[in-house]
Amino acid sequence: MAKKIVRKVLLMLPVLFLVSIILFTLMEVLPGDAAYGLGSDVSDEYIQQFREEHGLDKPAYVRYLDWVTNMLKGDFGVSLISGLPIIDRIKVRFPVTLELTLLSMIVAVVIAIPAGILSAVKRNTLPDYLTSVLAMVGVTIPPFWLGMLMVLLFSITLGWLPASGYVELTESVSENLTRMIMPALALGTQFAATVTRQTRSAFLETLDQDYIVTAKAKGLPQRVVIWKHALRNALIPIVTTIGMQTGRLFGGAVVIETVFTLPGIGREIVNSILLRDYPVVMALIMIVAFIVIVINTLIDIIHGLIDPRISQSQQR
Amino acid sequence: MKYESNFRKTVKKFFRRKLAVVGLVICLVMLFVAIMGPSLSSYSPSETVVEDRYQPPSSVHLFGTDDLGRDMFARILDGARITVAVGVGSTCIALVAGTLLGLLAGFFGGVFDTVISCFMDALWAFPAIILALAINTVLGPSLLNIFIAIGVVYIPDFFRIVRSRTITIRELEYVIGARAIGQNSISILWHYVLPNMSSTLIVQTTLCCAKAVIAEASLSFLGLGVPLPMASWGSMLKSGYPLLERAPWLSLFPGICIMLLVLGLNFLGDGLRDALDVRIRDD
């Protein structure tokens, strides 16, 4: 088993290498470099000097190697536009995106798992139909449009919540949460809907198993059968779905941060692409991709760890 | 004869599922609207009437008018073209490229498989919108480039499914038989392997189309989608958002249309999956 885990971890390296190559190539073929973003009213000499200062005149492979070796040392370089170290910006922006994704995950899981269980236990009744319809709508609604609808309802019509802006968690917890709850819900709805559907089908499958029938037959209360016997086994595919959806949350955050003007990583990526601030774009996307790859590898490892147990229980 | 009866069974199974039929109807209506476009309305999508600005939905202007006095219903009909075109176009790119690479990697294995699989894992690691954003910025604003940017993002979806199905199918007796009678690899892939995964591909294609529609809307919302003066439902949402308080209908109708289309595609995909799955029997 340990060998397999080591192998999975090692397999991350070529993928990370390819991600860096794809990213670097994409940025390389972008029309015009950062000097292009300085505007048309600067002199040719200044542009030349700017290119030399930032190493833009070096050959591509040299710049790639510089970039990778510096990154491995924890140095992400400086922004071409502001001249400030990128790591400082990551430190400010990353917590916003992390809070947004974590909050939406928490909201989603808290709603989705009980809803999915209810749906499976009360199969083919009104609560089941209602949950299934809501889950279907949740899967298909574009998250940013849901965000807009929330702004329309809760900010413009009812005036309950602020439509945009960000207050740091350390500054005021309540102010922070009133501003984060709508983005988190908008981002988390699709996630919640997917987890609800997965929970429902995993539970339906589990509830048919012999050991559940036995547990019921020996007179255990339904509460114990569901929460102790069924949940533990149904959790496996649910956890997998949660893991797989996490990568998508980071992508969704890009748009949600724009709707609610949150100063997170996603909005920074979009702004930096528009400004052609390549070092920032590359550093931020690389970090997001790294997180996604690590999460995917972790799911793979967890799968491997629980697999033998599944096959054993089926043999019994 | 046997093939036809199987086909009939599948069609019957499909039409027995109400949601699948609803999905099919939604998709057909959307396709019709996309083909006919603004000719279904008496208004022109680009005609500006200053005195008619910000008219709420009424019998005269079904979906209201925008900040330039353009009829929103006509604009929605016009936008359907772009949205449906991007959905179909980018899905085609992902389908063709993903299937081709998946077939070759799965069938031949070896170094080629390892390299391509690694590359696909790397593409997979980028969040969809971010990758599409980056590709689209590189290629520049045009409709075709949106097809490519979104298409590339979903290539790994098809690749993974086709590759794993190919690995299973290539070991089956009829493939070994085909090889024994001297068929070449291309012919085996085309005549024996590909037809046996067509149902999986059909389902994946409808679901991918739904994802592509949302991806296009997201890109357009960020202002990096279809170039002006083209307008998709996503770019209408972008221009409607700052006017949310004054004219909420500008954001409501394009969003409802996107959701309906995605819902229709999902219903259709789920229905096709059940109808094409031989393990599910209705009788």
Side-chain angles (χ1 to χ4, degrees), chain A residues 61-136:
Chain A
Y61 72 93
V62 178
R63 274 180 291 133
Y64 174 76
L65 288 177
D66 283 352
W67 176 56
V68 172
T69 42
N70 286 335
M71 211 160 38
L72 289 174
K73 285 185 230 154
D75 174 13
F76 289 94
V78 293
S79 158
L80 293 178
I81 306 295
S82 67
L84 298 169
I86 296 170
I87 190 77
D88 292 349
R89 217 183 295 185
I90 293 172
K91 280 182 194 155
V92 178
R93 303 277 183 161
F94 195 67
V96 182
T97 307
L98 196 68
E99 190 194 342
L100 175 64
T101 42
L102 277 179
L103 259 184
S104 56
M105 265 171 93
I106 293 169
V107 173
V109 169
V110 166
I111 297 171
I113 294 186
I117 295 176
L118 179 80
S119 193
V121 175
K122 306 259 177 202
R123 193 182 181 179
N124 294 336
T125 61
L126 189 68
D128 179 27
Y129 295 139
L130 214 64
T131 314
S132 298
V133 169
L134 279 177
M136 193 70 211

Side-chain angles (χ1 to χ4, degrees), chain B residues 4-83:
Chain B
E4 200 191 339
S5 75
N6 265 342
F7 178 74
R8 258 193 207 168
K9 258 190 226 162
T10 308
V11 172
K12 263 192 198 161
K13 247 166 105 183
F14 180 85
F15 279 99
R16 235 175 264 149
R17 284 167 171 73
K18 283 183 200 129
L19 283 183
V21 178
V22 172
L24 180 69
V25 171
I26 293 176
C27 292
L28 287 177
V29 169
M30 291 288 184
L31 198 63
F32 176 73
V33 168
I35 292 168
M36 300 303 286
S39 64
L40 293 170
S41 162
S42 50
Y43 294 96
S44 151
S46 52
E47 188 192 350
T48 56
V49 184
V50 182
E51 52 269 31
D52 275 354
R53 292 167 67 199
Y54 299 117
Q55 293 288 318
S58 64
S59 55
V60 187
H61 295 288
L62 212 53
F63 288 177
T65 60
D66 69 0
D67 51 332
L68 299 171
R70 292 174 293 188
D71 180 66
M72 271 307 278
F73 185 64
R75 294 197 71 211
I76 293 266
L77 293 175
D78 194 37
R81 287 192 164 170
I82 309 288
T83 300

